[in-house]
Amino acid sequence: MSKATAGLDETQARGLTEAWEDFGPPSARRLLIAAVDAFAARGYHGTSTRDIADRAGLSPAGVYVHFASKEDLFYRITLIGHQQTLRNALLAVDSAGPDAGPAERLRAVVEAQTTWQARHHTTARVVEYDLPSLSPEHYEEVGALRRRIAAVVHGILGEGARRGEFDVPDVDGTTLALLSMVTDVARWYPSNSRQSPEELGKLYGDLALRMAAPHGGAGGAFGTAGTGTGEGDDDSTDGGAAEH
Amino acid sequence: MSKATAGLDETQARGLTEAWEDFGPPSARRLLIAAVDAFAARGYHGTSTRDIADRAGLSPAGVYVHFASKEDLFYRITLIGHQQTLRNALLAVDSAGPDAGPAERLRAVVEAQTTWQARHHTTARVVEYDLPSLSPEHYEEVGALRRRIAAVVHGILGEGARRGEFDVPDVDGTTLALLSMVTDVARWYPSNSRQSPEELGKLYGDLALRMAAPHGGAGGAFGTAGTGTGEGDDDSTDGGAAEH
DNA sequence: GTCTATACGTTGATAGAC
DNA sequence: GTCTATCAACGTATAGAC
């Protein structure tokens, strides 16, 4: 067990290392892993470059051999993290097969993204919750990746609605709600759940379909009170996929 | 417009001050509002006591007349914020009436909590996302309030399931998903939505009912398509994960 | 590439005048 | 209750030896 992962149990250490295994020289990689772990625990501003260097087994100055600044280190983490997440989403859609309809594709994406957030919850926490600490330029660059991820879900909901296979009166709003549900896993997992990432993924995939599927509707199964669903208003569907 | 709210547009300033209008002496209240605004923008560790004092129109030392420490200031914000959120949830359940069934109550709570998160998104962001910066004792105290909030939703889902009015195979998991959806509003609102807090609340209340209501079922029109891009590794955790 | 040493601004917090 | 002045610790980052 390296210094960078001291204090973590073996399974955890292996996973964190594997998530970043393609990254550069050993010392740089150790710094990156140490930084992910520290940022996840205390946030960007709550973590000092000394913390990171210590965890990686280097002196404070060692950081600057491999990264131009603390922000640069953070930026690389967020960029790679988002690229991996986007790839995960696109692979999930592909895995549903060329003939898959919106329902299968929605389930596939939500399940895969949820599983990802749970399995890589440490990385995901850094990547999801500290973005305003990036420089404006880097923030915008990462934002573009986030819009592409949102567009995957938005596109599936929109197509399902157009085809009449979904009942989604507000595609923009439902996209946001769905992404929120998935994103937020990184904030709490695994403290409130004993489910595996895969089990959680299945549950969330199921919930996503319920949110999009045709259902009882206004005055349906819940007749006793004003629980109608379609409020009559709605949105124009289109537009850009929401940023998330 | 006071110094504490300078630079905010009117709606934001109103939502921000509304939540804290009952708080003590004017200077203390100005400090609190200034702190909420600063913490929301840059996080607890990213905000200095000088930032806060400046925004409140006081010298750096002025903070310590009213609060024992930076952590104390943050603690009071999170405590009051959580108390208000819990009250909001309980009032929503009451407002559904004594004869309301699980469906009406679920809709009422989710709608009210979503509207609250959107209207008070600045306060909510501080209160939801920086909790690990609290001292262990204060973290536990706030955690107890969070568990009570979660219990409201959990209780409604459980009762609906027992009565057969809901189809919720995993009450714990669905509670988490529902709370995630609502909580996460504070992270992105209003940047990705032009909907009012009330409109967003209606949408989310509707989505919550869809998640809980009886539906086509696993063998129905939307067959299960197991997917996912599981790799098999895990990720570490070391910081205290947020309670939910 | 890594170290030791250090520059030098910022931080949370306190002392004491008014 | 608010200020000015101040402190010791810590922050990011650099210089230069090896």
Side-chain angles (χ1 to χ4, degrees):
Chain A
M1 185 178 283
S2 74
K3 288 179 185 176
T5 55
L8 304 177
D9 74 35
E10 281 184 38
T11 303
Q12 289 174 332
R14 188 186 343 113
L16 189 54
T17 303
E18 281 174 8
W20 298 96
E21 65 189 352
D22 292 336
F23 195 91
S27 285
R29 184 168 60 249
R30 272 189 293 128
L31 280 166
L32 233 131
I33 292 167
V36 169
D37 210 41
F39 289 153
R42 298 157 125 1
Y44 176 79
H45 290 293
T47 300
S48 70
T49 54
R50 282 177 159 87
D51 286 342
I52 296 167
D54 270 0
R55 286 182 192 242
L58 292 177
S59 70
V63 172
Y64 298 89
V65 174
H66 303 279
F67 299 92
S69 65
K70 182 184 170 188
E71 196 272 347
D72 178 46
L73 178 45
F74 180 56
Y75 163 62
R76 300 215 200 182
I77 290 167
T78 61
L79 185 64
I80 295 169
H82 276 86
Q83 287 168 340
Q84 290 179 344
T85 302
L86 174 59
R87 201 181 72 219
N88 189 62
L90 296 175
L91 285 173
V93 174
D94 277 356
S95 79
D99 299 327
E104 290 95 329
R105 288 191 288 135
L106 181 64
R107 181 189 294 277
V109 174
V110 171
E111 183 173 332
Q113 293 295 77
T114 300
T115 299
W116 175 272
Q117 293 288 105
R119 181 178 295 135
H120 302 290
H121 58 90
T122 304
T123 298
R125 202 174 302 165
V126 175
V127 150
E128 301 288 354
Y129 293 107
D130 239 333
L131 297 184
S133 299
L134 288 169
S135 73
E137 296 75 17
H138 291 159
Y139 183 83
E140 173 50 30
E141 187 179 355
V142 170
L145 286 171
R146 293 179 78 76
R147 287 189 287 276
R148 289 180 63 190
I149 294 167
V152 173
V153 173
H154 193 275
I156 293 171
L157 287 180
E159 189 195 349
R162 278 193 304 278
R163 284 212 216 169
E165 297 180 26
F166 286 164
D167 172 26
V168 181
D170 180 348
V171 173
D172 288 354
T174 305
T175 297
L176 281 170
L178 225 34
L179 290 173
S180 277
M181 191 175 83
V182 174
T183 297
D184 197 62
V185 168
R187 183 174 59 82
W188 58 262
Y189 192 90
S191 66
N192 293 308
S193 170
R194 254 158 248 103
Q195 292 178 88
S196 69
E198 291 75 16
E199 286 167 339
L200 200 70
K202 282 204 197 317
L203 171 63
Y204 278 47
D206 199 54
L207 290 172
L209 271 193
R210 290 179 179 226
M211 289 163 76
H215 62 122
F222 299 90
T224 39
T227 58
T229 49
E231 297 292 302
D233 62 307
D234 157 47
D235 97 313
S236 44
T237 318
D238 87 87
E243 192 163 337
H244 194 59
Chain B
M1 185 177 278
S2 73
K3 287 181 183 176
T5 54
L8 303 176
D9 72 36
E10 281 183 38
T11 302
Q12 278 181 314
R14 192 180 336 115
L16 185 52
T17 50
E18 241 176 41
W20 304 99
E21 59 193 358
D22 294 334
F23 195 91
S27 285
R29 185 169 60 249
R30 282 201 335 270
L31 281 166
L32 238 134
I33 291 168
V36 169
D37 206 41
F39 289 152
R42 306 172 55 74
Y44 177 79
H45 290 293
T47 300
S48 70
T49 54
R50 282 175 168 78
D51 286 343
I52 296 166
D54 271 359
R55 287 182 192 242
L58 293 176
S59 70
V63 173
Y64 297 90
V65 173
H66 302 279
F67 299 93
S69 66
K70 184 185 171 187
E71 196 271 347
D72 178 46
L73 178 46
F74 180 56
Y75 162 63
R76 301 215 198 179
I77 290 167
T78 61
L79 185 64
I80 295 170
H82 277 85
Q83 288 168 340
Q84 290 180 346
T85 302
L86 174 59
R87 199 178 92 231
N88 190 62
L90 295 175
L91 284 174
V93 174
D94 277 356
S95 78
D99 300 326
E104 292 95 326
R105 288 192 288 136
L106 182 64
R107 181 191 292 278
V109 175
V110 171
E111 183 173 332
Q113 293 295 77
T114 301
T115 299
W116 203 93
Q117 292 287 108
R119 180 176 295 133
H120 303 290
H121 63 269
T122 305
T123 298
R125 199 174 303 165
V126 174
V127 148
E128 301 288 354
Y129 293 107
D130 239 332
L131 297 184
S133 299
L134 287 169
S135 73
E137 296 76 16
H138 291 159
Y139 183 82
E140 173 50 30
E141 186 179 354
V142 170
L145 286 171
R146 292 178 80 75
R147 286 189 288 275
R148 289 179 64 191
I149 294 166
V152 173
V153 173
H154 193 275
I156 294 171
L157 288 180
E159 188 196 349
R162 278 194 305 279
R163 284 211 216 169
E165 296 182 25
F166 286 165
D167 171 27
V168 181
D170 181 348
V171 172
D172 288 355
T174 305
T175 298
L176 282 170
L178 226 35
L179 290 173
S180 277
M181 192 175 82
V182 174
T183 296
D184 199 61
V185 167
R187 184 174 58 83
W188 58 261
Y189 192 89
S191 66
N192 294 308
S193 171
R194 256 158 246 105
Q195 291 177 90
S196 68
E198 290 75 18
E199 287 167 338
L200 200 70
K202 282 202 196 323
L203 172 64
Y204 277 47
D206 195 56
L207 291 171
L209 270 192
R210 290 179 180 225
M211 289 163 75
H215 64 123
F222 299 92
T224 55
T227 45
T229 56
E231 269 120 53
D233 55 320
D234 193 2
D235 203 284
S236 78
T237 333
D238 96 315
E243 286 272 357
H244 193 54

